[in-house]
Amino acid sequence: MSTPPPIRTITLGIAEPHPIAASTIDHASATLQVARQRFSNAGYEVQTVRLSTRPLFDDLADWSVSRRLTYVKTLQATLTKLGLEFCSLGTLHVARPTEPLARIEEIVELLATTTALNMTVSLASVEHGMREEAALPIARVMQRLAHETPEGFGNFRFAMLACVEAGCPFFPTAYHAGPQSLALGLQGANILTNALAEQPASLTAITERVRAALHRQAAPIVAMGQTIAREQGLHFGGIDLSPAPLGNDSVTAAIERYAPLGSVGTLAVIAALTAALKSTELPTCGYNGLMLPVLEDVLLGQRWEEAALHVHQLLLYSAVCGTGLDTLPLAGDTPVEDIAHLLLDVATLAVRLQKPLSARLFPVADKLVGEKTTFSSPYLTNTLIQSLH
């Protein structure tokens, strides 16, 4: 019998607006621990439990900058006391034409003074389209986090979103809307790799094999999640089947059962894998597409170092897969204008295709093009920094 896939995250969405009472966080933590224990007792490895909240700036728009910062520090203290390492403050909806752009750089201090909190900025939405002038201040946040947080790790907890709705369980994307809910995210790279252990005969065979394997492995997880949600009085938000890789648990290995990553045929196999993810008939949420995070997948990082692919290829693959540009290493001296243009490329693709995409970029403060990253985090691998041009 195959080993069940790890559950990357059990994410609880809090319906209460900010400022959230400590008692609410305490109750949410207890609920997450019940869910973690139930899955663990059933033989599943639960890697993380997380809290997703409503957008901070929507609820506290009338507060001063200093008052928001004080609240965020208090929230961090509550999370630390409960042993919670992941909490989303939601997204700043600057795609709305009335949202003040000055709030964007406030995020630097909110993240630099905390460790558990994540936040995003929505540069584009289905309703409003893309707000071009917001790209440069978002790029400044990325550059500042690279220089003002240890190893630039603040960028692990920050991203630009484009056309991403509430309810995704993965971070830093997650933000909440609606009733209290429970959502799940898999670390499912091995499901894909094992399903394609024998070289597939066709793209259709890839989709069929992976779809069947996903349904077989994920259906019991969904059923348990639905039961837990019902017992705890929560809405079940669904499962994000995006096969999040981690280290040697590589989604690149599944792609290369068909074609070397970056070679001709890569786009086709990525589309075939994504078709499987989107056709299981399970209740899904979030991206539910292929993830290609350069700094989280050892084999992908190796291919990046070998220059087997470039940022423009990753953008091309985003047209048919999942998240956009994720954990992409950049030189520390990359001009903010170049970063802003890259954000606009991602957002333009999202708006044109009406699909959720994001950009989590990693300028590395002390590294230049051609040098290798030296992250010490267990969540990140290391690879060479390429030029954007």
Side-chain angles (χ1 to χ4, degrees):
M1 185 175 179
S2 60
T3 303
I7 297 171
R8 173 66 67 86
T9 178
I10 303 172
T11 301
L12 191 150
I14 294 179
E16 181 179 320
H18 294 281
I20 302 169
S23 58
T24 300
I25 302 293
D26 191 55
H27 183 265
S29 175
T31 301
L32 285 170
Q33 296 312 318
V34 167
R36 179 197 283 271
Q37 193 60 54
R38 289 280 290 278
F39 278 109
S40 296
N41 290 346
Y44 291 98
E45 176 194 352
V46 179
Q47 295 176 336
T48 65
V49 294
R50 312 180 184 188
L51 295 178
S52 177
T53 73
R54 291 160 46 98
L56 177 83
F57 286 100
D58 283 1
D59 292 336
L60 306 182
D62 295 333
W63 284 26
S64 67
V65 173
S66 61
R67 191 180 178 194
R68 276 193 292 263
L69 180 59
T70 298
Y71 164 64
V72 164
K73 289 179 178 179
T74 301
L75 180 58
Q76 173 67 65
T78 301
L79 296 167
T80 300
K81 180 180 177 182
L82 294 170
L84 289 170
E85 298 180 358
F86 299 91
C87 178
S88 165
L89 293 176
T91 195
L92 173 60
H93 288 288
V94 296
R96 299 172 185 159
T98 57
E99 189 69 42
L101 295 182
R103 289 179 177 158
I104 296 174
E105 289 202 62
E106 183 183 335
I107 293 172
V108 175
E109 194 165 5
L110 297 179
L111 295 184
T113 56
T114 59
T115 57
L117 298 176
N118 291 245
M119 199 164 190
T120 60
V121 179
S122 293
L123 176 61
S125 69
V126 173
E127 180 182 3
H128 297 291
M130 182 175 71
R131 191 173 177 189
E132 180 183 353
E133 62 270 27
L136 193 60
I138 297 172
R140 288 196 198 100
V141 169
M142 293 174 171
Q143 274 287 28
R144 286 188 59 192
L145 288 172
H147 290 81
E148 297 177 31
T149 60
E151 295 189 6
F153 203 65
N155 277 311
F156 193 71
R157 299 182 282 125
F158 176 74
M160 181 280 293
L161 306 185
C163 302
V164 177
E165 301 296 331
C168 178
F170 286 111
F171 277 36
T173 299
Y175 67 98
H176 191 64
Q180 207 99 325
S181 68
L182 196 71
L184 306 171
L186 285 185
Q187 182 179 306
N190 270 348
I191 298 177
L192 277 62
T193 305
N194 293 337
L196 304 177
E198 297 180 8
Q199 187 169 8
S202 66
L203 295 169
T204 300
I206 288 174
T207 299
E208 291 173 350
R209 282 197 215 170
V210 171
R211 180 195 299 123
L214 282 166
H215 194 279
R216 183 171 60 252
Q217 296 267 27
I221 297 173
V222 168
M224 187 174 295
Q226 290 172 321
T227 298
I228 295 169
R230 184 171 59 252
E231 291 174 354
Q232 297 294 321
L234 304 171
H235 169 71
F236 182 68
I239 188 168
D240 192 331
L241 295 172
S242 302
L246 183 65
N248 289 311
D249 191 2
S250 167
V251 73
T252 305
I255 295 170
E256 293 193 338
R257 299 289 196 204
Y258 182 82
L261 186 68
S263 70
V264 290
T266 300
L267 182 68
V269 68
I270 286 175
L273 291 168
T274 302
L277 294 164
K278 294 190 177 298
S279 60
T280 62
E281 299 184 356
L282 293 170
T284 57
C285 60
Y287 293 107
N288 210 49
L290 208 65
M291 291 182 171
L292 294 171
V294 176
L295 290 171
E296 291 185 300
D297 181 322
V298 166
L299 188 54
L300 176 55
Q302 183 180 328
R303 296 293 179 264
W304 184 261
E305 187 167 333
E306 295 165 352
L309 71 163
H310 188 264
V311 63
H312 297 125
Q313 285 167 284
L314 290 177
L315 277 171
L316 171 64
Y317 303 152
S318 294
V320 298
C321 69
T323 59
L325 299 178
D326 197 12
T327 63
L328 183 74
L330 302 175
D333 62 352
T334 303
V336 289
E337 293 81 6
D338 285 358
I339 296 175
H341 289 160
L342 188 56
L343 297 176
L344 290 171
D345 282 348
V346 175
T348 297
L349 197 61
V351 171
R352 177 61 63 88
L353 299 179
Q354 294 290 280
K355 66 174 294 184
L357 293 175
S358 59
R360 184 165 48 156
L361 309 180
F362 267 75
V364 186
D366 59 346
K367 300 294 182 181
L368 302 175
V369 170
E371 296 181 338
K372 193 164 184 175
T373 62
T374 53
F375 294 111
S376 61
S377 168
Y379 297 112
L380 299 177
T381 185
N382 285 297
T383 189
L384 209 66
I385 294 175
Q386 291 190 27
S387 169
L388 280 180
H389 301 289

